[in-house]
Amino acid sequence: MPLTLNQLAELSGRASEHVLAEEVEETGMPAGEILARLRERLAVMRDSVRRGLASDAPSVAGLVGKNAKTLWEAPDPLQDPLLKRVQAYAMAVNEENARMGRIVAAPTAGSAGTLPGALLGVADHLGIPDEELLMPLVLAGGVAKMIGRVIHIAGASGGCQAEIGSSAAMAAAAVTELLGGTPEACAHAAALALQNTLGLVCDPVGGFVEVPCVMRNGFYAVHAVSAASMALAGIRSVIPPDEVVLAMAGIGRLLPLELKETGLGGLADTPTGRRLAEEALKKT
C-alpha cells in the first residue's frame, strides 16, 4: 500500500529514505537516477530565484514583475534576513512564472515559489550546501503524492488550498527534514502547514497567475518555515495528518465554482480586479 502521512509519522530513520524506496519500487528507476533528476530540478529552482531577484521586467499581464527585486534590494527594518530571504526567493520564482520563464512546478506553476523559497532560503541562511537539499526534495515530492492521491492538486478542483496548501505542506516537511526532524515531525509539519490554509480560495485577477498568487507564495513560504519550526519544537497537529488532507478535499468540494480559479469571485470580482483584468487582456 502507498505511504500516507500517518504511516510516515510512525517510521524511523529519515522520512525521505522511505519515500525514495517507495519511488524506486513504483517506478523501477534506480535511486541514483531519481536523485540526478532532482539535482537538475534544484538547479532550475536556483536559476529561477537568481533571475527573479535580478529582474524588474513586467509579467505577461503587467500586474507584477518587480516585487521580488524590490524586496531583495530594500532595507530590512526588521533585521530578519531569513524572513526577507524566504519571501524574496519565493516571489522571485513566481514572477519568473508570470514572465513565462523556466520554473519547476512544485507542485503547480502557480505555487512554484513556496518550496524553493522556504527550502533554499533556509539552506542559504544557514550555509547548507545544495547537495544536502536533494533528500528533502525527495520528501517534498512524496508529500505531494500523498496529497494527490486524495485530491487533485489544482486550484480548479480545490481552490488555492489545494495548490498553495500542498506546496506549503511539501515545504514544511522538507525544511523539517533538512534540519534533522524525525518522520513524525515531518508529517506533522506538513499537517500544520496544510490545516492553516484550509478554505483558501483561488481568485486570480483576470485569470492570470499573478495577483494575488505571487505575494501568496511569499507569505506561505514563511508559513511553511513556521510550521517546520513548530514541528521541530515538538508541536503536533491535534487532527491526524491524513485527516487534515481529507478535510481539505471535503472543503474543496464545497467551494463554489467562482472561487476555484475561474477569476469570477474574490479579489478578481472587485471593481479594481475587474478593471485590471480588462486592462491586462488588452496587453496580451
Side-chain angles (χ1 to χ4, degrees):
M1 289 290 291
L3 272 175
T4 70
L5 287 172
N6 281 6
Q7 292 167 344
L8 186 69
E10 298 296 324
L11 299 175
S12 58
R14 292 186 72 181
S16 58
E17 291 174 348
H18 299 286
V19 171
L20 182 59
E22 182 179 79
E23 188 70 10
V24 169
E25 183 177 355
E26 288 182 357
T27 65
M29 191 182 299
E33 185 174 343
I34 293 171
L35 292 175
R37 292 190 179 191
L38 284 176
R39 195 173 287 111
E40 293 173 357
R41 284 158 177 75
L42 180 60
V44 174
M45 289 180 178
R46 277 281 180 207
D47 191 51
S48 294
V49 169
R50 179 188 59 78
R51 286 184 284 115
L53 292 178
S55 177
D56 56 7
S59 60
V60 171
L63 300 176
V64 296
K66 59 181 180 180
N67 296 297
K69 184 180 180 184
T70 296
L71 177 62
W72 188 241
E73 295 178 351
D76 187 2
L78 293 176
Q79 296 298 302
D80 189 341
L82 175 60
L83 175 64
K84 179 178 176 178
R85 184 182 297 274
V86 167
Q87 289 176 318
Y89 278 22
M91 290 194 295
V93 173
N94 274 86
E95 288 193 320
E96 278 301 292
N97 173 56
R99 296 186 191 99
M100 305 303 288
R102 188 167 181 237
I103 58 160
V104 176
T108 65
S111 60
T114 306
L115 175 58
L119 185 60
L120 275 64
V122 168
D124 287 357
H125 178 70
L126 298 176
I128 298 173
D130 279 2
E131 196 65 20
E132 294 185 28
L133 307 185
L134 297 181
M135 290 303 285
L137 283 176
V138 168
L139 176 58
V143 170
K145 286 184 70 172
M146 294 173 203
I147 294 171
R149 292 180 182 123
V150 178
I151 181 174
H152 293 299
I153 298 179
S157 67
C160 200
Q161 57 165 7
E163 293 201 18
I164 207 77
S166 297
S167 66
M170 294 164 65
V175 171
T176 301
E177 163 132 333
L178 178 68
L179 300 181
T182 63
E184 180 188 28
C186 292
H188 280 267
L192 290 168
L194 186 59
Q195 72 187 37
N196 287 291
T197 67
L198 295 182
L200 190 62
V201 303
C202 187
D203 54 349
V205 171
F208 297 100
V209 187
E210 299 188 15
V211 175
C213 317
V214 168
M215 300 296 192
R216 192 167 282 172
N217 276 264
F219 283 115
Y220 279 94
V222 175
H223 175 88
V225 174
S226 296
S229 177
M230 290 182 186
L232 287 163
I235 294 172
R236 299 294 179 257
S237 173
V238 174
I239 306 301
D242 286 351
E243 292 182 35
V244 175
V245 177
L246 287 170
M248 181 181 73
I251 292 168
R253 288 190 291 270
L254 292 171
L255 285 176
L257 182 67
E258 290 80 3
L259 299 178
K260 293 198 282 191
E261 208 172 1
T262 57
L264 298 175
L267 292 176
D269 193 38
T270 60
T272 298
R274 291 193 296 271
R275 176 179 59 79
L276 290 173
E278 292 175 5
E279 293 172 359
L281 286 170
K282 293 175 184 177
K283 300 176 184 177
T284 57

